[in-house]
């Protein structure tokens, strides 16, 4: 499976699955994970979508770019991928940082997207100091320093108790993330404020909220849904990484939206 090279010289790893002649669907991962976070969604999607998933910059197999970048650049990465694959229009599903990427796409490139599922996400994540502390923590001590705190935010206590192997699978993705790549994405989130432009978005969006999400809490999703005309909203019982914690509920909400049910 290929890398694709972007206009600023960065390289991104992507994989395709499913039916090549079916409508395309792009999955965009969260901070500290990689494209394997979508395994349960790809199983569901590959029957009736051309599935494209990729590793965000500095995550998974996508190398860490030399220069800093913004959330807008993460959106541009997707547009350049679509161009390289000669896809005029696609559906999109992103979680957390992937959802932020989707907000940028819905705002700046509405003609390229049919439906966008924006999951466990936020338009603005202050305070800046929290991100600066995380950047320092991973730069000084590596990813292991974050694993316990992150998995506690991403999964409910019940899920962690009952599903230690699944929690460990995701913990391995966190450990495998390049600290510099994680830090660069933290800086992009720190500097992001998409709130003022939400009301200009005309795209067809689903806002999916985790009722027990301490990272992007329900009010963050509500704010996005309240400010985008016609936004559909779904609430699932999960913490932050709802696609992994509650795949059946997540898939029901996202795929009934994408399939037009
Ligand atoms: O790391 C977290 O807990 C929350 C988060 C912010 C952006 C993202 O993708 O995850």
């Amino acid at each position: 499976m290929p890398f694709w090279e972007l206009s600023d010289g960065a390289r991104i790893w992507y994989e395709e699955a499913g039916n090549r002649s079916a409508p395309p669907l792009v999955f965009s991962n969260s901070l500290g994970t990689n494209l394997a976070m979508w395994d349960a969604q790809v199983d569901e999607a590959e029957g009736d979508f051309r599935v494209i998933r990729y590793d965000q910059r500095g995550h998974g197999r996508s190398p860490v770019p030399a220069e800093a970048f913004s959330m807008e650049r993460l959106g541009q990465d997707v547009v350049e991928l679509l161009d390289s694959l000669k896809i005029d229009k696609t559906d999109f599903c992103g979680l957390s940082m992937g959802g932020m990427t989707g907000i940028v796409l819905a705002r700046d490139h509405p003609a390229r997207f049919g439906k966008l599922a924006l999951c466990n996400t936020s338009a603005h994540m202050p305070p800046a100091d929290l991100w600066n502390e995380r950047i320092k923590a991973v730069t000084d001590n590596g990813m292991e320093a974050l694993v316990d705190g992150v998995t506690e935010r991403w999964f409910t206590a019940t899920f962690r108790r009952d599903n230690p192997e699944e929690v460990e699978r995701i913990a391995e993705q966190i450990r495998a993330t390049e600290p510099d790549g994680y830090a660069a994405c933290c800086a992009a989130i720190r500097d992001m404020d998409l709130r003022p432009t939400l009301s200009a978005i005309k795209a067809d969006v689903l806002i999916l909220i985790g009722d027990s999400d301490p990272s992007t809490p329900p009010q963050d999703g509500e704010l996005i849904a309240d400010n985008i005309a016609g936004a559909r909203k779904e609430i699932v019982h999960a913490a932050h990484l709802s696609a992994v914690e509650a795949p059946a509920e997540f898939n029901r909400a996202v795929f009934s939206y994408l399939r037009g049910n």
Side-chain angles (χ1 to χ4, degrees):
M1 280 290 175
F3 284 103
W4 94 92
E5 186 143 345
L6 299 158
S7 55
D8 69 350
R11 290 192 316 145
I12 295 283
W13 178 265
Y14 74 99
E15 295 181 6
E16 286 198 72
N19 178 350
R20 285 292 182 108
S21 52
L25 169 60
V26 174
F27 286 102
S28 180
N29 63 284
S30 64
L31 180 69
T33 65
N34 60 53
L35 54 73
M37 69 160 279
W38 297 114
D39 285 354
Q41 285 67 47
V42 173
D43 286 348
E44 165 91 25
E46 53 191 4
D48 44 10
F49 288 96
R50 173 182 179 184
V51 179
I52 299 142
R53 50 181 171 166
Y54 70 98
D55 289 328
Q56 296 259 27
R57 289 173 176 237
H59 286 64
R61 276 173 275 191
S62 295
V64 185
E67 305 291 334
F69 50 83
S70 64
M71 197 55 66
E72 278 68 23
R73 180 63 244 189
L74 295 184
Q76 186 62 26
D77 292 352
V78 178
V79 172
E80 291 186 21
L81 172 62
L82 297 181
D83 290 344
S84 78
L85 295 173
K86 303 200 179 342
I87 293 173
D88 290 336
K89 195 163 187 170
T90 184
D91 289 342
F92 177 91
C93 178
L95 189 142
S96 198
M97 182 171 72
M100 297 164 196
T101 307
I103 297 173
V104 168
L105 293 169
R107 184 192 66 189
D108 296 346
H109 301 279
R112 305 296 299 271
F113 295 90
K115 297 184 175 206
L116 298 102
L118 310 175
C119 310
N120 298 83
T121 197
S122 176
H124 182 50
M125 286 195 78
D129 280 352
L130 178 146
W131 295 105
N132 292 332
E133 282 161 22
R134 272 207 222 182
I135 291 167
K136 182 165 168 35
V138 296
T139 306
D140 291 354
N141 303 313
M143 296 303 293
E144 188 63 47
L146 291 189
V147 169
D148 288 348
V150 169
T151 51
E152 279 171 27
R153 291 195 301 276
W154 287 4
F155 301 112
T156 60
T158 307
F159 184 83
R160 279 183 273 124
R161 185 197 62 208
D162 295 345
N163 299 274
E165 286 170 13
E166 194 60 349
V167 174
E168 185 53 25
R169 183 176 79 89
I170 297 298
E172 276 305 314
Q173 294 186 17
I174 301 168
R175 289 188 191 102
T177 303
E178 284 290 337
D180 289 352
Y182 184 90
C185 286
C186 286
I189 296 168
R190 177 196 63 202
D191 298 341
M192 169 197 80
D193 187 357
L194 301 171
R195 293 172 302 171
T197 55
L198 287 175
S199 60
I201 293 176
K202 303 283 181 256
D204 183 342
V205 300
L206 164 71
I207 308 304
L208 184 136
I209 292 169
D211 67 357
S212 309
D213 182 352
S215 296
T216 50
Q219 63 266 29
D220 288 20
E222 302 280 358
L223 185 137
I224 301 169
D226 288 348
N227 282 281
I228 300 180
R232 174 160 156 176
K233 185 175 74 181
E234 296 279 353
I235 301 175
V236 299
H237 177 53
H240 189 57
L241 219 62
S242 61
V244 175
E245 174 161 358
E249 226 188 317
F250 182 97
N251 287 1
R252 198 174 317 116
V254 168
F255 288 102
S256 66
Y257 164 67
L258 294 176
R259 290 178 177 129
N261 302 328

